[in-house]
Amino acid sequence: MSQKVQIPWENRPENSSEVMWRSQNNPIISRYSIPSSNSIFNSAVVPFEDGFAGVFRCDNKAVQMNIFAGFSKDGKNWKINHEPIQMKAGNTSMIDSDYKYDPRVVYIEDRYWVTWCNGYHGPTIGIAYTFDFKEFFQCENAFLPFNRNGVLFPQKIDGKYAMLSRPSDNGHTPFGDIYISFSPDMKYWGEHRCLMKVAPFDQSAWQCTKIGAGTVPYLTKEGWLMFYHGVINTCNGFRYSMGAAILDEADPTKVLYRTKPYLLAPAAPYELAGDVPNVVFPCAALFNDEKDQVAVYYGAADTSVAMAFGHISEILEFIKNNSL
């Protein structure tokens, strides 16, 4: 399951004992990295050809939300297209939407699939595929409104596509649990099951208000590793932090372990201050099994893109030893 690529990497700082640590170059993508942007954040990255490709949430200066393709040789220095992705018809002719935001990307079988929060009478999960990150083919929305944080598994489970999501309401949702759903054809979705619920306040308050799937699940020796976000509602508003869970390999509807303490929470200036303060929002992870490395891309304060690093084995042990 290793992604067989030289992923971006920085060693743990000498004065740090944290399980995950931030890039010293954060934020790696600033809010004004393309001429039209007000902010660039909550974006997805995958290995592609001899480097990396990504789909980026770029809100323009009218604060219209859309997704843009981009490319990088090293995963840190990015050239993001100046125009948003123009969808073509895939398995549907209904490709209009009011907005697109918070994309995820995964390679399954022969193509790259993109999921995002799609504006169709409220937020729902949009789906598209691409072979080259130049042409994108939009498919049917996966679910009814209202839903967010659609994240596909990188392979079929018992012959079916599987997706995590977070049913919600039409506003700044004050609730939310993670669900898993299945599809035979990436068009019709069903078998919806509640996977993970918010934590009790007295046990793990950082994830007591809502939780949502973050990165594409990655198969390890312990099961499917998935980074997710958790939210607490404070007197100063929502605070988003990052944790991780391990799902059963054969039956990912079973949560084996999930972090009681967070792995990363807003602390750096670019996470504390921005368009939406106090946000760490993971959307993508790159793995190198041979070197025991993972690099996580996350949105910082709904303003920029940042990175954090860790050793896969240490993260797995931390989750198991500090499970809710």
Side-chain angles (χ1 to χ4, degrees):
M1 291 295 296
S2 181
Q3 291 174 340
K4 299 296 182 184
V5 66
Q6 183 64 43
I7 69 171
W9 180 255
E10 296 173 25
N11 290 325
R12 179 189 281 116
E14 292 183 4
N15 61 348
S16 172
S17 60
E18 297 296 325
V19 179
M20 299 194 73
W21 56 95
R22 295 167 174 82
S23 171
Q24 297 181 21
N25 299 307
N26 278 346
I28 63 161
I29 300 175
S30 70
R31 65 186 307 165
Y32 299 130
S33 291
I34 62 174
S36 64
S37 63
N38 165 78
S39 50
I40 303 175
F41 60 106
N42 296 3
S43 303
V45 170
V46 289
F48 178 69
E49 295 182 345
D50 60 348
F52 304 89
V55 178
F56 298 84
R57 172 178 177 173
C58 302
D59 294 3
N60 67 17
K61 292 180 172 66
V63 194
Q64 294 172 294
M65 305 165 191
N66 217 324
I67 55 176
F68 293 61
F71 301 90
S72 173
K73 291 293 186 183
D74 60 7
K76 289 186 176 182
N77 298 285
W78 288 88
K79 293 182 179 179
I80 300 174
N81 294 344
H82 291 185
E83 297 298 327
I85 293 168
Q86 298 298 315
M87 295 290 178
K88 298 181 178 181
N91 66 17
T92 179
S93 60
M94 199 287 292
I95 63 174
D96 295 329
S97 60
D98 296 327
Y99 47 76
K100 297 180 178 72
Y101 64 81
D102 296 358
R104 274 74 162 186
V105 179
V106 60
Y107 184 80
I108 307 175
E109 296 178 334
D110 66 345
R111 68 194 68 187
Y112 299 87
W113 290 93
V114 185
T115 55
W116 68 91
C117 186
N118 196 39
Y120 178 72
H121 301 280
T124 184
I125 305 303
I127 303 177
Y129 63 86
T130 182
F131 297 97
D132 56 9
F133 290 90
K134 296 176 182 177
E135 286 188 306
F136 291 79
F137 299 88
Q138 188 166 338
C139 300
E140 282 288 335
N141 291 324
F143 309 120
L144 291 168
F146 308 116
N147 207 317
R148 294 176 172 87
N149 300 305
V151 180
L152 287 163
F153 280 74
Q155 66 187 53
K156 291 180 179 178
I157 307 296
D158 291 332
K160 299 173 185 176
Y161 298 101
M163 188 192 301
L164 305 172
S165 70
R166 207 267 312 282
S168 60
D169 62 18
N170 199 32
H172 295 286
T173 312
F175 65 90
D177 303 317
I178 300 175
Y179 280 68
I180 186 170
S181 304
F182 297 91
S183 170
D185 57 6
M186 206 70 88
K187 184 173 184 178
Y188 299 102
W189 292 85
E191 299 179 82
H192 313 293
R193 304 287 185 269
C194 184
L195 179 70
M196 283 173 51
K197 298 185 73 66
V198 296
F201 176 85
D202 61 340
Q203 294 184 33
S204 186
W206 69 270
Q207 54 182 327
C208 71
T209 298
K210 54 183 174 178
I211 55 176
T215 64
V216 170
Y218 183 75
L219 191 56
T220 72
K221 62 180 182 180
E222 301 288 350
W224 293 102
L225 171 61
M226 187 266 294
F227 296 95
Y228 67 96
H229 67 263
V231 182
I232 180 175
N233 192 12
T234 75
C235 59
N236 195 39
F238 290 149
R239 179 176 185 259
Y240 285 72
S241 303
M242 181 176 76
I246 301 173
L247 312 179
D248 185 80
E249 176 181 352
D251 182 5
T253 66
K254 296 179 180 178
V255 179
L256 303 180
Y257 308 95
R258 63 184 280 197
T259 47
K260 183 175 182 179
Y262 56 71
L263 286 167
L264 203 68
Y270 49 86
E271 300 160 353
L272 296 172
D275 282 2
V276 181
N278 302 317
V279 175
V280 167
F281 193 95
C283 281
L286 300 173
F287 292 83
N288 187 317
D289 286 341
E290 293 178 359
K291 295 187 176 181
D292 191 29
Q293 297 172 347
V294 59
V296 176
Y297 293 81
Y298 65 94
D302 279 19
T303 302
S304 58
V305 176
M307 293 187 73
F309 306 99
H311 293 291
I312 302 168
S313 60
E314 291 182 3
I315 293 169
L316 292 173
E317 285 304 306
F318 181 85
I319 300 170
K320 292 169 62 179
N321 295 333
N322 297 275
S323 185
L324 186 63

